[in-house]
């Protein structure tokens, strides 16, 4: 339910009692873990208690740090249990991430596991793929996926190839996947070769002609036009297909905004006659009424065109 906080929903007396009991146990166990940390008691008992805490509160970074210290101590004492400890920590961090998929502390712990050779990179990649199927815009998971690509690749170029292929798959699943489109801006070379540019523009066209009111591909297109060469014919082609879309969907404000941007940019690049400046003014003037929430932006654009 959007706009309604969980705390605003009335709870039954039984629910209130249950919550109070959870809070009591959480405070009790947390206090015990803090005592162990202060005493530097790094043992299995500390791992068991701290596991209860981080599952209830994955953002309790001090407890995660205590777990790292404990695992290091146990491995220095006897590394024969490394596999067992690794599997337990992987299971625990996954449980914490299921509780809070955007927990900074839990993701940091997951990366620490990999950094210390306690997880298989390929398995972690598959985990990322599964988590991004559930929430395609989880930026923590995307950052972790980039980290894994660098680990499994022999160089930055190969990491980019892997991430580009991955983003292609994600866009194929959902062309409105803003995070996947953003990844393409990181993986593709800049400026784009003309053949690559035209392929990417074609992908955008298929998306916006399907759903012209979705902003993800329009934002991606803004990045693409930075690579358009100083060629009047290329700029004219871009103007024409956007105008065609507007004829079919005259209320698609993102198409209008993008058309004005393309007209402005083409003038600056010398690819199109400056007569299009007048057209830009007409578009921004119309957008003030069409999209009144952003009228100040359009008024600023008009002032810049004077």
């Amino acid at each position: 339910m959007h706009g309604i906080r969980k705390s605003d929903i009335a709870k039954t007396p039984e629910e209130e009692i249950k919550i109070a009991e959870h809070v009591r146990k959480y405070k009790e166990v947390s206090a015990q873990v803090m005592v162990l940390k202060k005493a530097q008691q790094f043992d299995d008992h500390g791992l068991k208690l701290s596991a209860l805490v981080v599952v209830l509160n994955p953002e309790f970074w001090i407890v995660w740090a205590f777990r790292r210290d404990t695992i290091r101590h146990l491995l220095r004492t006897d590394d024969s249990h490394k596999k067992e400890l690794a599997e337990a920590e992987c299971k625990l961090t996954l449980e914490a991430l299921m509780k809070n998929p955007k927990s900074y502390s839990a993701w940091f712990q997951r990366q620490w596991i990999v950094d210390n050779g306690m997880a298989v990179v390929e398995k972690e990649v598959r985990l990322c793929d599964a988590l991004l199927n559930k929430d395609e815009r989880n930026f923590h998971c995307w950052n972790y996926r980039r980290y894994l690509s660098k680990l499994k690749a022999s160089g930055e170029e190969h990491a980019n190839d892997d991430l580009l292929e991955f983003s292609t798959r994600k866009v194929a699943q959902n062309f409105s996947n803003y995070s996947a489109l953003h990844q393409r801006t990181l993986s593709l070379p800049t400026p784009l070769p003309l053949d690559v540019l035209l392929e990417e523009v074609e992908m955008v066209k298929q998306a916006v002609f399907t759903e012209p009111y979705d902003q993800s591909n329009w934002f991606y297109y803004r990045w693409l036009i930075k690579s358009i060469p100083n060629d009047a014919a290329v700029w004219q082609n871009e103007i024409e297909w956007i105008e065609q879309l507007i004829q079919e969907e005259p209320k698609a404000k993102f198409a209008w905004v993008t058309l004005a941007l393309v007209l402005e940019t083409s003038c600056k690049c010398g690819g199109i006659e400056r007569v299009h400046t007048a057209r830009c003014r007409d578009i921004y003037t119309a957008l003030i009424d069409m999209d009144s929430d952003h009228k100040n932006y359009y008024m600023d654009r008009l002032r810049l065109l004077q």
Side-chain angles (χ1 to χ4, degrees):
M1 292 177 287
H2 295 287
I4 301 178
R5 297 175 300 178
K6 289 183 179 180
S7 58
D8 293 333
I9 301 174
K11 297 178 177 62
T12 65
E14 292 79 9
E15 289 174 330
E16 293 284 2
I17 293 172
K18 188 176 181 180
I19 291 172
E21 180 62 17
H22 281 168
V23 171
R24 185 192 66 78
K25 287 183 178 179
Y26 171 74
K27 289 182 176 179
E28 180 182 313
V29 177
S30 296
Q32 292 177 33
V33 172
M34 290 298 100
V35 170
L36 295 177
K37 183 180 185 302
K38 186 175 182 179
Q40 295 189 349
Q41 183 177 328
F42 304 129
D43 53 24
D44 290 335
H45 178 61
L47 286 180
K48 290 177 182 177
L49 284 180
S50 59
L52 298 174
V53 175
V54 294
V55 168
L56 289 172
N57 179 13
E59 280 299 314
F60 206 154
W61 66 270
I62 294 176
V63 178
W64 285 113
F66 171 68
R67 292 188 64 81
R68 292 193 291 274
D69 289 339
T70 301
I71 292 171
R72 290 190 194 99
H73 175 79
L74 292 174
L75 290 178
R76 281 196 299 267
T77 305
D78 180 8
D79 65 357
S80 63
H81 299 296
K82 184 174 182 177
K83 182 179 179 181
E84 180 183 343
L85 287 169
E87 290 176 350
E89 203 64 14
C90 284
K91 182 179 179 181
L92 178 64
T93 50
L94 181 58
E95 189 175 353
L97 289 171
M98 292 298 101
K99 173 87 172 181
N100 180 3
K102 297 182 179 179
S103 166
Y104 284 89
S105 300
W107 280 111
F108 183 88
Q109 187 77 358
R110 194 79 187 190
Q111 183 169 330
W112 179 83
I113 295 170
V114 176
D115 286 338
N116 285 271
M118 299 170 69
V120 179
V121 173
E122 289 298 334
K123 287 185 178 180
E124 294 300 292
V125 169
R126 290 195 292 272
L127 172 64
C128 273
D129 291 0
L131 291 176
L132 286 173
N133 282 335
K134 295 183 66 175
D135 180 5
E136 62 188 21
R137 297 187 68 166
N138 186 334
F139 71 91
H140 298 275
C141 196
W142 274 101
N143 285 337
Y144 187 57
R145 184 65 171 78
R146 295 182 189 106
Y147 156 77
L148 294 172
S149 288
K150 290 180 180 179
L151 282 184
K152 73 173 189 173
S154 57
E156 188 73 24
E157 181 179 349
H158 291 90
N160 280 335
D161 290 343
D162 173 62
L163 289 166
L164 185 60
E165 187 276 332
F166 178 64
S167 68
T168 300
R169 283 193 282 120
K170 301 308 291 182
V171 171
Q173 291 174 3
N174 175 16
F175 61 73
S176 297
N177 189 329
Y178 182 86
S179 297
L181 292 169
H182 172 66
Q183 180 57 54
R184 299 184 78 75
T185 70
L186 302 177
S187 298
L188 288 167
T190 52
L192 291 170
L194 184 58
D195 59 333
V196 176
L197 170 66
L198 296 178
E199 287 179 4
E200 294 298 301
V201 169
E202 189 60 34
M203 180 184 73
V204 168
K205 287 167 65 176
Q206 292 180 22
V208 296
F209 271 93
T210 302
E211 181 46 81
Y213 297 92
D214 180 80
Q215 63 183 341
S216 299
N217 277 275
W218 289 116
F219 276 114
Y220 181 53
Y221 182 72
R222 286 185 172 212
W223 179 79
L224 291 177
I225 64 174
K226 295 176 183 178
S227 293
I228 295 179
N230 191 3
D231 185 319
V234 176
W235 282 106
Q236 187 60 39
N237 284 336
E238 298 308 301
I239 292 170
E240 287 176 358
W241 76 256
I242 299 173
E243 288 181 327
Q244 179 187 347
L245 187 149
I246 288 173
Q247 288 178 1
E248 297 179 13
E249 294 287 345
K251 294 183 179 180
K253 73 167 185 178
F254 292 117
W256 283 107
V257 173
T258 305
L259 176 59
L261 176 64
V262 170
L263 289 169
E264 279 191 70
T265 309
S266 65
C267 289
K268 293 174 184 176
C269 293
I272 299 293
E273 295 294 330
R274 288 190 173 273
V275 67
H276 287 301
T277 301
R279 180 85 191 283
C280 290
R281 292 196 190 97
D282 292 340
I283 292 172
Y284 287 130
T285 301
L287 281 166
I288 290 173
D289 293 326
M290 185 188 300
D291 182 23
S292 59
D293 288 342
H294 300 95
K295 65 179 181 181
N296 289 335
Y297 168 76
Y298 303 129
M299 291 170 67
D300 284 341
R301 300 309 304 171
L302 283 170
R303 280 192 287 270
L304 290 172
L305 289 171
Q306 290 178 355

